[in-house]
Amino acid sequence: MGVLVTDLDGTLLGGTDAERRRLHGLLSRHPQITVVFATGRGLASLREVLADPLVPGPRWIIADVGSSVADGRDLSTVTHVQSRLREGWPGATRVRDALSGFPTLMYQEGVAQDGRCSFHLRPGDLTGELVAAVAALGCSWAYSADRFFDVLPPRAGKGAAVRALAHAQGWALTDVLVAGDSLNDLSMFGIGAHGVVVGGAEPALDRAVAGDERVYRTERHGAAGIAAGLRNLGWVEPEHALVVGYHRPPRVWTSTGWRAPTSPNGILPTLGAVLGAERGDDRAASALWVAGAVVDDELSDPDIGDHDLRPAMSLQRFEGAAWSAYFHRACKETLWPALMSQPERMRFDGAAWSAYRTVNRRFAEHIADRAAEGATVWLHDYNLWLVPGLLRSARPDLRVGLFHHTPFPPVRVFDALPVAAEVRASLTALDWAGFHTEGFAANFRAALGGTDVAPRVGVHPLGVDREAIDALVRARGSHAGSGTGSLVLSVERLDYVKAPERKVAAVAALLAADPALHGRLRFRLVCPPPEPGITAYDSTRVALEHRIADVNDRYGTATWQPVEYLPHNLSFVEVVDEYLAADVFWVTSLQDGMNLTAKEFVAAQSAAGGSGVLVLSRHAGAAVQLGGGALLTDPCSPIDLVRVLRRALRMPRRERGARMTRLSAALGREHPRHWAAAIIAAIEGGAPDPGPPPVVTSATGTA
């Protein structure tokens, strides 16, 4: 338990509205911290302050410069404390009469005050004669801001009131933090409690507490200074100079705790590794990952309190129904079809979009409360498209970037979204937007072309961890390949955009045209289902499984099935084994932001000295980088799918080896952590974005 005793004017009420809102949120998240006001104001003048939504509710109130003590819940007098503080008080009338001979002492008419007398007084008029007159009354006094002169009961004062209240409540003064900005507050700093002097404080207060190791001095003003004091003591979580906003956490919550991804590749393990590094950029190592977590009855509530997790996570908890409306409907049924240039599949639901707004608002508030002044915020993907606009309004000091791991559609498709104007307005609030290819970046620029302000745009294709793949391939030993015949492999989650039905149809057409392939061609489709709750792909799964059954029934034998269907996840070790066994890796995405499986296949085959053929959709982002060594195919053309696959199966070994050499060189060896570091620098504006990678012309990569 901790007790925060804070002055109001210039301290708790100081700073910007955003800083006051953040402090309010901080204290709300830490209800174990008791809030006490210690103010020079009278109780009657505090009702407006207490009604301010940016002001945290006090449990206790010390008012009238320490002469009044009240219960913060109903403003009732804490009689047993206040009566002791007011012992010896001669009354306001006697004080005013006794000091009436000092013409420079101006009583503050109209100011609510009780148990004290408050005057205006210039510094030069604070004479020994005046001090002696106050002493003759048996009173004490306080002078602050070169203006305010308060005559108090002999035992009163902010410090005395804090000590008396602490005694009554059983608080140890070492559990108390006092915060102030003027000499009016000085007495609080001498009672043995911790202290924080906020930025812009009276120089005289700064001088008076200089050298006191219990007092923390900060340049941050008002509410931000109080928050700095709380963090300095470790009573609240630290601020973060780098905040990642992603709808998923970097680990998977299971019945036995948090589990890291098995693959070293992809955005979750990449960021998890970079931001969780024990060495390197201190800011990145202390970054915060803000994510969503679904609370349901089947799995215990995700917990991070008992784990030393890196990167640090801060979870937004959602009920299952709210998350389903947001993710399964708004994201997957409205936004996803547009991103994949499939506007005819869009389904807009006003209630689901309201849930999307709510989730984005909560993410924005969560980030705003935890980001340090001038922090860098790295958002990810379309799931958080409304966060930039909300953050710009609440925290204009932040530098906000968003990387799109998906394609970005042509402007005509983007404008088909019923919420296009709302999304566009938010995206213009970004400082930086990133993409895997220049084509997607160009679509983004076009979509924002009519706006007055547009973010900087960068092109940063994500790669794979070749060192990890090399080590895994070495550990797997010999690599015999697929044996007799040819193995064509696809590894992809179930999604209509991956065109799995079209691949099975192409296999059937190839078998019909070339009987020599019977018993020799195997198409292995590793196709795990989407997460539970997504119904948009149900029809794809049903149609795919019917098509597979038809082809296997028509062409299969007791010892051979042309299509081997694996509708479940494999470990990364198992996936690498599949890459090594494959003769052809087949990617037929109708749209794809990048396609890291294609890059993993190249890395694995290259590490093993293999010569597998990559057949790659020309609509995948990876085609820009790998088109010079891959066979590019058009999944929208059934004829082209068959033709290119046939060429891959018939390709001479020398050409296969030459193409794999080109693919390996094009893939490069840049570690994904360098990709992440470059994007952080780009968001911050610390380094110019490199130009887009060269676009591979169709002549070098076509079949």
Side-chain angles (χ1 to χ4, degrees):
M1 172 183 172
V3 180
L4 169 64
V5 182
T6 176
D7 172 52
L8 293 182
D9 298 283
T11 308
L12 184 66
L13 302 181
T16 66
D17 284 353
E19 290 166 341
R20 294 171 59 207
R21 184 179 297 108
R22 291 204 295 279
L23 177 61
H24 187 288
L26 192 65
L27 292 171
S28 297
R29 295 194 300 275
H30 294 274
Q32 76 278 11
I33 298 176
T34 299
V35 178
V36 180
F37 290 175
T39 178
R41 298 191 187 200
L43 283 171
S45 68
L46 291 179
R47 297 190 183 279
E48 184 178 348
V49 173
L50 293 172
D52 186 338
L54 301 183
V55 173
R59 179 61 184 86
W60 308 100
I61 298 175
I62 296 169
D64 291 304
V65 200
S67 296
S68 301
V69 181
D71 190 314
R73 296 171 297 185
D74 57 12
L75 299 187
S76 60
T77 300
V78 184
T79 305
H80 64 288
V81 176
Q82 180 174 294
S83 59
R84 294 190 61 192
L85 293 169
R86 292 197 182 184
E87 286 181 1
W89 176 238
T93 300
R94 184 180 169 193
V95 170
R96 293 183 66 181
D97 287 345
L99 300 181
S100 61
F102 295 89
T104 58
L105 198 62
M106 307 298 295
Y107 183 73
Q108 293 190 61
E109 300 286 355
V111 173
Q113 47 188 297
D114 187 22
R116 56 140 179 175
C117 284
S118 186
F119 302 88
H120 285 149
L121 183 71
R122 293 190 299 266
D125 295 323
L126 180 54
T127 63
E129 184 181 1
L130 174 59
V131 171
V134 172
L137 288 166
C139 295
S140 62
W141 58 273
Y143 186 63
S144 61
D146 289 340
R147 182 183 181 189
F148 301 111
F149 184 78
D150 288 284
V151 180
L152 308 170
R155 295 186 177 183
K158 286 188 177 182
V162 173
R163 186 186 290 111
L165 185 60
H167 178 75
Q169 296 300 315
W171 303 331
L173 289 173
T174 52
D175 292 331
V176 175
L177 171 66
V178 300
D181 74 312
S182 74
L183 283 175
N184 191 307
D185 308 312
L186 177 60
S187 63
M188 295 196 297
F189 290 90
I191 63 173
H194 300 287
V196 56
V197 175
V198 301
E202 280 188 63
L205 177 63
D206 264 331
R207 291 193 296 270
V209 300
D212 189 339
E213 62 183 18
R214 295 170 302 185
V215 179
Y216 175 68
R217 291 188 286 178
T218 175
E219 295 182 357
R220 297 191 174 188
H221 289 229
I226 296 174
L230 292 168
R231 292 190 174 95
N232 180 64
L233 286 175
W235 288 8
V236 298
E237 68 271 13
E239 289 182 309
H240 297 271
L242 175 61
V243 180
V244 170
Y246 200 92
H247 71 286
R248 298 181 185 277
R251 297 171 179 81
V252 178
W253 178 249
T254 70
S255 58
T256 59
W258 290 103
R259 177 173 55 80
T262 60
S263 170
N265 301 310
I267 186 57
L268 293 180
T270 293
L271 289 179
V274 172
L275 304 181
E278 294 289 342
R279 300 179 180 177
D281 187 345
D282 290 339
R283 178 193 51 186
S286 62
L288 179 69
W289 186 303
V290 175
V294 179
V295 179
D296 57 37
D297 296 330
E298 297 180 3
L299 197 62
S300 60
D301 191 11
D303 172 49
I304 60 173
D306 296 331
H307 303 274
D308 183 19
L309 297 174
R310 298 173 66 94
M313 289 191 295
S314 186
L315 299 180
Q316 286 274 58
R317 289 164 169 80
F318 297 94
E319 296 296 330
W323 186 262
S324 181
Y326 155 72
F327 185 70
H328 300 149
R329 288 155 55 200
C331 290
K332 287 301 182 182
E333 295 183 7
T334 300
L335 300 180
W336 183 256
L339 290 164
M340 299 300 126
S341 296
Q342 303 271 315
E344 68 280 0
R345 292 181 179 268
M346 282 194 298
R347 301 291 182 268
F348 181 76
D349 179 334
W353 189 251
S354 178
Y356 181 91
R357 288 181 178 135
T358 298
V359 171
N360 275 248
R361 174 182 56 77
R362 286 185 55 187
F363 264 83
E365 292 172 350
H366 208 71
I367 292 169
D369 284 343
R370 290 158 176 79
E373 187 74 20
T376 298
V377 177
W378 184 2
L379 305 172
H380 292 267
D381 260 343
Y382 64 101
N383 313 88
L384 300 178
W385 262 351
L386 299 185
V387 172
L390 295 166
L391 280 180
R392 184 61 63 212
S393 175
R395 293 290 306 274
D397 59 293
L398 300 177
R399 293 168 291 186
V400 183
L402 189 152
F403 193 88
H404 292 81
H405 301 280
T406 66
F408 197 91
V411 65
R412 60 176 177 76
V413 178
F414 179 82
D415 284 342
L417 281 168
V419 292
E422 182 179 0
V423 171
R424 181 183 287 110
S426 178
L427 294 178
T428 60
L430 287 166
D431 293 293
W432 181 89
F435 302 88
H436 285 303
T437 74
E438 175 57 32
F440 300 146
N443 288 344
F444 177 81
R445 294 188 190 98
L448 270 60
T451 59
D452 295 331
V453 179
R456 292 174 289 112
V457 175
V459 176
H460 295 260
L462 175 61
V464 296
D465 185 347
R466 294 193 69 170
E467 294 176 5
I469 294 174
D470 288 352
L472 187 54
V473 169
R474 287 195 299 270
R476 302 309 288 165
S478 61
H479 316 289
S482 62
T484 60
S486 298
L487 174 62
V488 177
L489 174 69
S490 289
V491 179
E492 59 202 24
R493 70 181 184 280
L494 179 67
D495 190 328
Y496 54 78
V497 126
K498 303 295 184 180
E501 294 175 74
R502 302 187 189 200
K503 281 190 276 205
V504 176
V507 169
L510 195 58
L511 292 172
D514 191 350
L517 292 174
H518 292 198
R520 298 184 57 80
L521 172 62
R522 290 178 296 146
F523 171 43
R524 184 172 297 158
L525 176 59
V526 180
C527 190
E531 69 174 60
I534 298 180
T535 60
Y537 307 138
D538 286 352
S539 60
T540 301
R541 179 185 56 78
V542 171
L544 172 63
E545 292 178 354
H546 284 165
R547 176 79 68 151
I548 291 172
D550 288 344
V551 173
N552 283 341
D553 287 345
R554 179 179 303 177
Y555 296 105
T557 67
T559 58
W560 169 72
Q561 295 285 291
V563 181
E564 300 173 0
Y565 179 47
L566 282 68
H568 55 79
N569 285 300
L570 301 180
S571 71
F572 188 63
V573 171
E574 292 171 318
V575 170
V576 169
D577 284 343
E578 296 290 347
Y579 290 149
L580 296 174
D583 299 289
V584 177
F585 191 72
W586 200 13
V587 177
T588 60
S589 309
L590 302 175
Q591 286 289 330
D592 212 332
M594 174 50 66
N595 196 284
L596 291 181
T597 59
K599 293 188 171 185
E600 289 175 343
F601 170 75
V602 170
Q605 285 276 327
S606 179
S611 57
V613 179
L614 174 62
V615 176
L616 181 60
S617 168
R618 62 179 65 255
H619 303 299
V624 174
Q625 188 176 2
L626 303 180
L631 295 182
L632 297 185
T633 189
D634 183 1
C636 298
S637 168
I639 294 174
D640 191 68
L641 282 175
V642 174
R643 181 175 63 86
V644 177
L645 181 59
R646 179 187 289 115
R647 179 177 174 189
L649 294 170
R650 294 177 176 177
M651 186 177 292
R653 177 169 295 277
R654 175 176 291 183
E655 182 181 355
R656 293 162 65 99
R659 283 182 175 271
M660 181 52 65
T661 298
R662 294 204 298 272
L663 285 169
S664 180
L667 180 58
R669 302 197 68 88
E670 182 181 55
H671 196 282
R673 64 174 173 265
H674 299 139
W675 171 88
I679 289 179
I680 293 170
I683 296 171
E684 295 173 345
D689 279 317
V695 177
V696 179
T697 63
S698 58
T700 61
T702 59

